[in-house]
PDB file of all heavy atoms in Angstrom:
ATOM      1  N   GLN A1964      79.559 -81.618 -44.115  1.00  0.00           N
ATOM      2  CA  GLN A1964      80.670 -81.283 -43.222  1.00  0.00           C
ATOM      3  C   GLN A1964      80.162 -80.560 -41.966  1.00  0.00           C
ATOM      4  O   GLN A1964      80.569 -80.869 -40.853  1.00  0.00           O
ATOM      5  CB  GLN A1964      81.679 -80.410 -43.960  1.00  0.00           C
ATOM      6  CG  GLN A1964      82.897 -80.032 -43.127  1.00  0.00           C
ATOM      7  CD  GLN A1964      83.852 -79.155 -43.922  1.00  0.00           C
ATOM      8  OE1 GLN A1964      83.606 -78.877 -45.087  1.00  0.00           O
ATOM      9  NE2 GLN A1964      84.927 -78.746 -43.276  1.00  0.00           N
ATOM     10  N   LEU A1965      79.264 -79.599 -42.179  1.00  0.00           N
ATOM     11  CA  LEU A1965      78.701 -78.876 -41.037  1.00  0.00           C
ATOM     12  C   LEU A1965      77.937 -79.823 -40.119  1.00  0.00           C
ATOM     13  O   LEU A1965      78.048 -79.739 -38.887  1.00  0.00           O
ATOM     14  CB  LEU A1965      77.783 -77.765 -41.551  1.00  0.00           C
ATOM     15  CG  LEU A1965      77.002 -76.971 -40.496  1.00  0.00           C
ATOM     16  CD1 LEU A1965      77.952 -76.204 -39.592  1.00  0.00           C
ATOM     17  CD2 LEU A1965      76.023 -76.023 -41.166  1.00  0.00           C
ATOM     18  N   ARG A1966      77.204 -80.756 -40.685  1.00  0.00           N
ATOM     19  CA  ARG A1966      76.414 -81.695 -39.892  1.00  0.00           C
ATOM     20  C   ARG A1966      77.314 -82.646 -39.105  1.00  0.00           C
ATOM     21  O   ARG A1966      77.056 -82.932 -37.920  1.00  0.00           O
ATOM     22  CB  ARG A1966      75.499 -82.485 -40.833  1.00  0.00           C
ATOM     23  CG  ARG A1966      74.488 -83.378 -40.153  1.00  0.00           C
ATOM     24  CD  ARG A1966      73.423 -83.795 -41.156  1.00  0.00           C
ATOM     25  NE  ARG A1966      72.515 -84.778 -40.582  1.00  0.00           N
ATOM     26  CZ  ARG A1966      72.619 -86.090 -40.714  1.00  0.00           C
ATOM     27  NH1 ARG A1966      73.616 -86.585 -41.450  1.00  0.00           N
ATOM     28  NH2 ARG A1966      71.757 -86.906 -40.152  1.00  0.00           N
ATOM     29  N   ASP A1967      78.387 -83.132 -39.721  1.00  0.00           N
ATOM     30  CA  ASP A1967      79.290 -84.060 -39.034  1.00  0.00           C
ATOM     31  C   ASP A1967      80.036 -83.375 -37.896  1.00  0.00           C
ATOM     32  O   ASP A1967      80.184 -83.935 -36.803  1.00  0.00           O
ATOM     33  CB  ASP A1967      80.286 -84.653 -40.028  1.00  0.00           C
ATOM     34  CG  ASP A1967      79.592 -85.531 -41.070  1.00  0.00           C
ATOM     35  OD1 ASP A1967      78.443 -85.962 -40.822  1.00  0.00           O
ATOM     36  OD2 ASP A1967      80.191 -85.748 -42.152  1.00  0.00           O
ATOM     37  N   ILE A1968      80.491 -82.147 -38.156  1.00  0.00           N
ATOM     38  CA  ILE A1968      81.233 -81.426 -37.110  1.00  0.00           C
ATOM     39  C   ILE A1968      80.325 -81.142 -35.921  1.00  0.00           C
ATOM     40  O   ILE A1968      80.724 -81.284 -34.757  1.00  0.00           O
ATOM     41  CB  ILE A1968      81.820 -80.123 -37.682  1.00  0.00           C
ATOM     42  CG1 ILE A1968      82.923 -80.449 -38.694  1.00  0.00           C
ATOM     43  CG2 ILE A1968      82.366 -79.232 -36.579  1.00  0.00           C
ATOM     44  CD1 ILE A1968      83.474 -79.234 -39.407  1.00  0.00           C
ATOM     45  N   ASP A1969      79.099 -80.755 -36.198  1.00  0.00           N
ATOM     46  CA  ASP A1969      78.166 -80.464 -35.111  1.00  0.00           C
ATOM     47  C   ASP A1969      77.843 -81.736 -34.322  1.00  0.00           C
ATOM     48  O   ASP A1969      77.740 -81.693 -33.090  1.00  0.00           O
ATOM     49  CB  ASP A1969      76.883 -79.860 -35.691  1.00  0.00           C
ATOM     50  CG  ASP A1969      75.874 -79.526 -34.608  1.00  0.00           C
ATOM     51  OD1 ASP A1969      76.102 -78.558 -33.861  1.00  0.00           O
ATOM     52  OD2 ASP A1969      74.852 -80.236 -34.510  1.00  0.00           O
ATOM     53  N   GLN A1970      77.702 -82.852 -35.004  1.00  0.00           N
ATOM     54  CA  GLN A1970      77.407 -84.104 -34.313  1.00  0.00           C
ATOM     55  C   GLN A1970      78.561 -84.521 -33.405  1.00  0.00           C
ATOM     56  O   GLN A1970      78.349 -84.909 -32.253  1.00  0.00           O
ATOM     57  CB  GLN A1970      77.118 -85.206 -35.339  1.00  0.00           C
ATOM     58  CG  GLN A1970      76.706 -86.537 -34.718  1.00  0.00           C
ATOM     59  CD  GLN A1970      76.366 -87.564 -35.771  1.00  0.00           C
ATOM     60  OE1 GLN A1970      76.459 -87.280 -36.960  1.00  0.00           O
ATOM     61  NE2 GLN A1970      75.982 -88.753 -35.338  1.00  0.00           N
ATOM     62  N   VAL A1971      79.807 -84.428 -33.907  1.00  0.00           N
ATOM     63  CA  VAL A1971      80.981 -84.773 -33.078  1.00  0.00           C
ATOM     64  C   VAL A1971      81.114 -83.797 -31.919  1.00  0.00           C
ATOM     65  O   VAL A1971      81.432 -84.181 -30.783  1.00  0.00           O
ATOM     66  CB  VAL A1971      82.253 -84.782 -33.949  1.00  0.00           C
ATOM     67  CG1 VAL A1971      83.497 -84.961 -33.081  1.00  0.00           C
ATOM     68  CG2 VAL A1971      82.168 -85.876 -35.005  1.00  0.00           C
ATOM     69  N   PHE A1972      80.852 -82.529 -32.192  1.00  0.00           N
ATOM     70  CA  PHE A1972      80.998 -81.498 -31.168  1.00  0.00           C
ATOM     71  C   PHE A1972      80.009 -81.720 -30.022  1.00  0.00           C
ATOM     72  O   PHE A1972      80.337 -81.501 -28.853  1.00  0.00           O
ATOM     73  CB  PHE A1972      80.783 -80.130 -31.810  1.00  0.00           C
ATOM     74  CG  PHE A1972      81.106 -78.985 -30.903  1.00  0.00           C
ATOM     75  CD1 PHE A1972      82.413 -78.680 -30.573  1.00  0.00           C
ATOM     76  CD2 PHE A1972      80.106 -78.189 -30.381  1.00  0.00           C
ATOM     77  CE1 PHE A1972      82.718 -77.627 -29.745  1.00  0.00           C
ATOM     78  CE2 PHE A1972      80.398 -77.129 -29.545  1.00  0.00           C
ATOM     79  CZ  PHE A1972      81.708 -76.850 -29.228  1.00  0.00           C
ATOM     80  N   VAL A1973      78.808 -82.172 -30.338  1.00  0.00           N
ATOM     81  CA  VAL A1973      77.798 -82.376 -29.304  1.00  0.00           C
ATOM     82  C   VAL A1973      77.980 -83.700 -28.594  1.00  0.00           C
ATOM     83  O   VAL A1973      77.928 -83.783 -27.356  1.00  0.00           O
ATOM     84  CB  VAL A1973      76.384 -82.272 -29.930  1.00  0.00           C
ATOM     85  CG1 VAL A1973      75.314 -82.631 -28.897  1.00  0.00           C
ATOM     86  CG2 VAL A1973      76.143 -80.879 -30.481  1.00  0.00           C
ATOM     87  N   GLU A1974      78.197 -84.774 -29.356  1.00  0.00           N
ATOM     88  CA  GLU A1974      78.288 -86.102 -28.757  1.00  0.00           C
ATOM     89  C   GLU A1974      79.548 -86.280 -27.929  1.00  0.00           C
ATOM     90  O   GLU A1974      79.559 -87.072 -26.989  1.00  0.00           O
ATOM     91  CB  GLU A1974      78.229 -87.166 -29.854  1.00  0.00           C
ATOM     92  CG  GLU A1974      76.879 -87.236 -30.548  1.00  0.00           C
ATOM     93  CD  GLU A1974      76.856 -88.279 -31.656  1.00  0.00           C
ATOM     94  OE1 GLU A1974      77.932 -88.861 -31.912  1.00  0.00           O
ATOM     95  OE2 GLU A1974      75.787 -88.503 -32.240  1.00  0.00           O
ATOM     96  N   SER A1975      80.620 -85.571 -28.249  1.00  0.00           N
ATOM     97  CA  SER A1975      81.863 -85.703 -27.485  1.00  0.00           C
ATOM     98  C   SER A1975      81.819 -84.964 -26.159  1.00  0.00           C
ATOM     99  O   SER A1975      82.697 -85.166 -25.325  1.00  0.00           O
ATOM    100  CB  SER A1975      83.051 -85.201 -28.317  1.00  0.00           C
ATOM    101  OG  SER A1975      82.884 -83.823 -28.609  1.00  0.00           O
ATOM    102  N   GLY A1976      80.847 -84.096 -25.964  1.00  0.00           N
ATOM    103  CA  GLY A1976      80.759 -83.329 -24.727  1.00  0.00           C
ATOM    104  C   GLY A1976      81.642 -82.114 -24.693  1.00  0.00           C
ATOM    105  O   GLY A1976      81.799 -81.490 -23.638  1.00  0.00           O
ATOM    106  N   THR A1977      82.243 -81.754 -25.818  1.00  0.00           N
ATOM    107  CA  THR A1977      83.126 -80.591 -25.862  1.00  0.00           C
ATOM    108  C   THR A1977      82.345 -79.278 -25.821  1.00  0.00           C
ATOM    109  O   THR A1977      82.909 -78.231 -25.477  1.00  0.00           O
ATOM    110  CB  THR A1977      83.982 -80.641 -27.136  1.00  0.00           C
ATOM    111  OG1 THR A1977      84.514 -81.956 -27.284  1.00  0.00           O
ATOM    112  CG2 THR A1977      85.132 -79.647 -27.064  1.00  0.00           C
ATOM    113  N   TRP A1978      81.044 -79.360 -26.152  1.00  0.00           N
ATOM    114  CA  TRP A1978      80.264 -78.114 -26.279  1.00  0.00           C
ATOM    115  C   TRP A1978      80.171 -77.348 -24.965  1.00  0.00           C
ATOM    116  O   TRP A1978      80.092 -76.120 -24.950  1.00  0.00           O
ATOM    117  CB  TRP A1978      78.848 -78.464 -26.762  1.00  0.00           C
ATOM    118  CG  TRP A1978      78.113 -79.374 -25.823  1.00  0.00           C
ATOM    119  CD1 TRP A1978      78.112 -80.729 -25.814  1.00  0.00           C
ATOM    120  CD2 TRP A1978      77.290 -78.969 -24.738  1.00  0.00           C
ATOM    121  NE1 TRP A1978      77.346 -81.226 -24.813  1.00  0.00           N
ATOM    122  CE2 TRP A1978      76.802 -80.153 -24.126  1.00  0.00           C
ATOM    123  CE3 TRP A1978      76.898 -77.749 -24.215  1.00  0.00           C
ATOM    124  CZ2 TRP A1978      75.964 -80.138 -23.019  1.00  0.00           C
ATOM    125  CZ3 TRP A1978      76.059 -77.718 -23.122  1.00  0.00           C
ATOM    126  CH2 TRP A1978      75.594 -78.909 -22.540  1.00  0.00           C
ATOM    127  N   TRP A1979      80.192 -78.085 -23.831  1.00  0.00           N
ATOM    128  CA  TRP A1979      80.007 -77.376 -22.551  1.00  0.00           C
ATOM    129  C   TRP A1979      81.240 -76.583 -22.136  1.00  0.00           C
ATOM    130  O   TRP A1979      81.182 -75.756 -21.237  1.00  0.00           O
ATOM    131  CB  TRP A1979      79.658 -78.386 -21.457  1.00  0.00           C
ATOM    132  CG  TRP A1979      80.792 -79.293 -21.081  1.00  0.00           C
ATOM    133  CD1 TRP A1979      81.117 -80.472 -21.653  1.00  0.00           C
ATOM    134  CD2 TRP A1979      81.746 -79.087 -20.033  1.00  0.00           C
ATOM    135  NE1 TRP A1979      82.211 -81.034 -21.065  1.00  0.00           N
ATOM    136  CE2 TRP A1979      82.618 -80.199 -20.046  1.00  0.00           C
ATOM    137  CE3 TRP A1979      81.966 -78.087 -19.090  1.00  0.00           C
ATOM    138  CZ2 TRP A1979      83.673 -80.330 -19.165  1.00  0.00           C
ATOM    139  CZ3 TRP A1979      83.013 -78.210 -18.201  1.00  0.00           C
ATOM    140  CH2 TRP A1979      83.859 -79.316 -18.243  1.00  0.00           C
ATOM    141  N   LYS A1980      82.411 -76.797 -22.811  1.00  0.00           N
ATOM    142  CA  LYS A1980      83.624 -76.068 -22.493  1.00  0.00           C
ATOM    143  C   LYS A1980      83.729 -74.728 -23.221  1.00  0.00           C
ATOM    144  O   LYS A1980      84.690 -74.000 -23.025  1.00  0.00           O
ATOM    145  CB  LYS A1980      84.858 -76.909 -22.841  1.00  0.00           C
ATOM    146  CG  LYS A1980      84.954 -78.213 -22.061  1.00  0.00           C
ATOM    147  CD  LYS A1980      86.204 -78.962 -22.439  1.00  0.00           C
ATOM    148  CE  LYS A1980      86.323 -80.268 -21.687  1.00  0.00           C
ATOM    149  NZ  LYS A1980      87.547 -81.010 -22.072  1.00  0.00           N
ATOM    150  N   VAL A1981      82.784 -74.424 -24.084  1.00  0.00           N
ATOM    151  CA  VAL A1981      82.854 -73.178 -24.848  1.00  0.00           C
ATOM    152  C   VAL A1981      82.772 -71.995 -23.889  1.00  0.00           C
ATOM    153  O   VAL A1981      81.847 -71.892 -23.079  1.00  0.00           O
ATOM    154  CB  VAL A1981      81.714 -73.120 -25.885  1.00  0.00           C
ATOM    155  CG1 VAL A1981      81.704 -71.761 -26.567  1.00  0.00           C
ATOM    156  CG2 VAL A1981      81.883 -74.224 -26.904  1.00  0.00           C
ATOM    157  N   GLY A1982      83.745 -71.102 -23.975  1.00  0.00           N
ATOM    158  CA  GLY A1982      83.776 -69.942 -23.100  1.00  0.00           C
ATOM    159  C   GLY A1982      84.520 -70.168 -21.812  1.00  0.00           C
ATOM    160  O   GLY A1982      84.831 -69.224 -21.101  1.00  0.00           O
TER     161      GLY A1982
END
Side-chain angles (χ1 to χ4, degrees):
Q1964 181 180 358
L1965 175 64
R1966 188 165 173 264
D1967 295 341
I1968 292 175
D1969 180 72
Q1970 184 177 1
V1971 173
F1972 189 72
V1973 174
E1974 293 179 355
S1975 62
T1977 314
W1978 60 271
W1979 69 272
K1980 298 181 181 180
V1981 174

